Amino acid sequence: MGVITPISASEKQSTILLKNVHVFDGMNEKRMMNANVLIENNIIKEITQKNINAPEATQIDGKGRTLIPGLIDMHWHSAYSSIPMQKGLTLDHAYHLLIGAKANEKALLRGFTTVRDVGGNVFSLAKLTDEGVYNGPRIFPSGPAISQTSGHTDFRPGTAVPAETNAPLVYMESIGHVMVADGVPEVLKRTREALRMGATQIKINSGGGVSSSFDPLDVTQFTLEETKAAVAAASDWNTYVATHTFTDAATQRALEAGVISIEHGHLLSEKTLRLMKKKGAYLSIQPILDDEDAIAFPEGSFSRQKYVEVTKGTDRVYRLAKKVGVKTVFGTDTLFDPLLAEKQGKQLAKLSKWHSPVEALRQATSTAGELLALSGQRSPYPQGALGVIKVGAYADLILVDGNPLKNLNLVSNPKDNFDLIMKDGKIYKNTLN
């Protein structure tokens, strides 16, 4: 075995030829066997089972390994995944982003070459990653998660209400991690501010949450008019709205307003899932269970009670969504725990409980890329497709020692099973001889 060799994103590698690889393109159930893939700069230029004459290229012999697209986590929090909650609430923004930079570098070395960040001011981290200052996945940032008073990301203390009209923002609001907005004018303003900051999509909260202190799961948040205001502002910028919601009532209202990405949805009925399919909405759900990988909320706490209720719905909703045919994407929503963040690949492998390996991998590759593309001109990455291996796509690639289309558990151990990880045509891990 070779050694892991992270290569600076600033180093230019003009041409790379991957030889003798079996290609899973992110879509098809069968691999293209014994293929060769030519990469120029950061784009895939040729995929063929014929020989490619490229004497100038850096040549890498895959020796029959499986080439898959870089993985995509569609519900990631760069600033929160690996920082304990109490530190997150009490330490400053720079601390959040420095911890986030290290966490994202580890995510990249787990094969996650793209993340959709659905809550938090990580615009500087996204920019510095693109500039090569930090190694990490591509980031599609939502910026501040927008909530109503008493909503899922109302992080004000219990003594903060009744709020004075001109009361100053709390720290988590002032740094742009979250924002509280009430009424159509405020929702419009805060949505437009997030877009001004560089949001690739908007994140709102339409229902109760697990980690929040003041909202039971059953509550519906934002009126129809408020939700429509966020959707209209995002649409004016040619992008879309994703919303946090678990219940039928909250989800149906969001769908009526034009929300296209439903985050979580663990308590949904078949009726609502059929409405999602009719509307063309995506289900961004996480395979969270009350198992050895559960988020460690204090026993008996309000959040712990809500977490157990949500996880009881996980199995049923995955099965119903598959039955109905809702487009589903993979995410982890890891919060406040660096050890849990390390299990990103294990979470993906858990999808085998409900899906074939190919179906599961599509959720973390091509279908995820399809949803990311709805950011349109707000996407920082307009040159190529993501989540697929095809001519013209970005060269975000993983060489797997084995066939994950037969054994999805291979993705749960990227340290041993991912021999090469490439993002944007640059190699960040290579353990091939």
Side-chain angles (χ1 to χ4, degrees):
M1 286 292 278
V3 297
I4 295 176
T5 309
I7 297 175
S8 169
S10 63
E11 292 181 25
K12 198 72 173 176
Q13 296 180 0
S14 58
T15 311
I16 296 175
L17 177 60
L18 298 176
K19 302 187 299 182
N20 188 25
V21 295
H22 305 319
V23 177
F24 168 62
D25 64 3
M27 299 172 288
N28 291 302
E29 294 187 5
K30 293 184 182 278
R31 299 176 296 171
M32 178 188 286
M33 306 299 287
N34 303 310
N36 302 302
V37 180
L38 183 67
I39 298 149
E40 291 184 3
N41 294 324
N42 61 342
I43 299 294
I44 297 171
K45 289 296 182 181
E46 188 175 358
I47 307 169
T48 180
Q49 291 174 308
K50 299 178 181 179
N51 290 329
I52 296 176
N53 184 26
E56 77 288 357
T58 299
Q59 301 199 14
I60 298 174
D61 188 350
K63 300 179 181 178
R65 288 170 173 79
T66 301
L67 187 70
I68 68 172
L71 301 173
I72 302 172
D73 190 327
M74 291 294 283
H75 198 110
W76 182 251
H77 295 285
S78 302
Y80 312 147
S81 68
S82 299
I83 182 171
M85 180 185 287
Q86 195 56 36
K87 286 189 176 182
L89 292 174
T90 57
L91 297 178
D92 64 24
H93 191 204
Y95 188 97
H96 301 169
L97 293 192
L98 289 169
I99 293 291
K102 296 297 291 184
N104 276 11
E105 181 176 19
K106 292 177 180 179
L108 177 61
L109 293 177
R110 290 191 290 269
F112 286 87
T113 55
T114 300
V115 296
R116 186 179 60 157
D117 196 294
V118 282
N121 179 355
V122 296
F123 297 110
S124 293
L125 178 56
K127 182 176 178 61
L128 290 169
T129 301
D130 288 342
E131 292 176 355
V133 177
Y134 293 108
N135 292 337
R138 304 171 187 273
I139 300 174
F140 280 72
S142 301
I146 304 171
S147 170
Q148 68 173 42
T149 291
S150 77
H152 179 50
T153 52
D154 180 352
F155 282 177
R156 295 172 297 176
T159 55
V161 293
E164 297 179 14
T165 303
N166 297 317
L169 300 175
V170 297
Y171 186 69
M172 293 291 278
E173 292 178 310
S174 67
I175 63 175
H177 275 345
V178 300
M179 188 57 63
V180 173
D182 293 300
V184 168
E186 275 197 12
V187 171
L188 281 172
K189 178 180 180 179
R190 298 310 189 185
T191 301
R192 289 166 177 164
E193 286 176 343
L195 293 163
R196 184 179 188 268
M197 294 166 76
T200 53
Q201 64 283 320
I202 294 298
K203 168 70 179 302
I204 65 171
N205 298 287
S206 294
V210 170
S211 60
S212 41
S213 300
F214 303 110
D215 58 339
L217 288 176
D218 65 289
V219 302
T220 300
Q221 300 172 11
F222 281 136
T223 65
L224 179 61
E225 291 74 19
E226 288 171 323
T227 310
K228 283 183 175 179
V231 170
S235 180
D236 285 345
W237 280 57
N238 299 306
T239 188
Y240 67 93
V241 172
T243 192
H244 164 108
T245 175
F246 288 110
T247 67
D248 284 328
T251 302
Q252 290 173 16
R253 180 181 292 178
L255 292 169
E256 183 180 353
V259 172
I260 203 68
S261 182
I262 301 300
E263 307 301 308
H264 312 310
H266 291 70
L267 304 177
L268 297 182
S269 67
E270 182 172 339
K271 177 182 177 181
T272 301
L273 290 164
R274 290 194 180 279
L275 180 61
M276 286 183 62
K277 183 178 181 182
K278 180 180 178 181
K279 296 278 189 179
Y282 291 76
L283 179 63
S284 174
I285 189 172
Q286 302 75 46
I288 56 171
L289 300 164
D290 192 21
D291 57 10
E292 71 276 8
D293 302 319
I295 297 175
F297 294 110
E299 197 62 44
S301 66
F302 187 36
S303 288
R304 171 64 182 161
Q305 294 169 18
K306 292 189 286 185
Y307 183 82
V308 171
E309 183 177 349
V310 164
T311 56
K312 285 180 179 178
T314 300
D315 180 74
R316 180 183 57 83
V317 172
Y318 266 109
R319 295 184 190 280
L320 282 175
K322 181 175 180 178
K323 171 186 171 183
V324 170
V326 175
K327 289 186 177 181
T328 304
V329 296
F330 169 77
T332 54
D333 194 24
T334 298
L335 294 169
F336 319 128
D337 187 345
L339 295 180
L340 184 56
E342 294 283 352
K343 299 177 181 180
Q344 214 170 1
K346 182 182 178 184
Q347 295 289 81
L348 177 56
K350 285 183 180 182
L351 294 185
S352 61
K353 180 177 175 67
W354 308 283
H355 294 282
S356 71
V358 171
E359 291 170 340
L361 288 170
R362 285 176 185 149
Q363 292 184 31
T365 56
S366 59
T367 309
E370 183 182 300
L371 177 51
L372 291 176
L374 297 184
S375 290
Q377 291 174 280
R378 303 289 73 77
S379 171
Y381 314 107
Q383 290 179 292
L386 293 167
V388 292
I389 299 177
K390 67 178 184 180
V391 172
Y394 281 110
D396 294 1
L397 304 167
I398 303 169
L399 266 179
V400 184
D401 188 9
N403 182 4
L405 278 67
K406 296 294 185 183
N407 179 13
L408 187 60
N409 280 328
L410 290 170
V411 304
S412 67
N413 185 3
K415 181 180 178 181
D416 292 340
N417 299 326
F418 290 1
D419 289 332
L420 182 139
I421 297 171
M422 175 186 294
K423 188 199 84 173
D424 207 39
K426 302 171 184 68
I427 298 171
Y428 290 86
K429 175 183 177 181
N430 185 3
T431 59
L432 296 167
N433 291 327

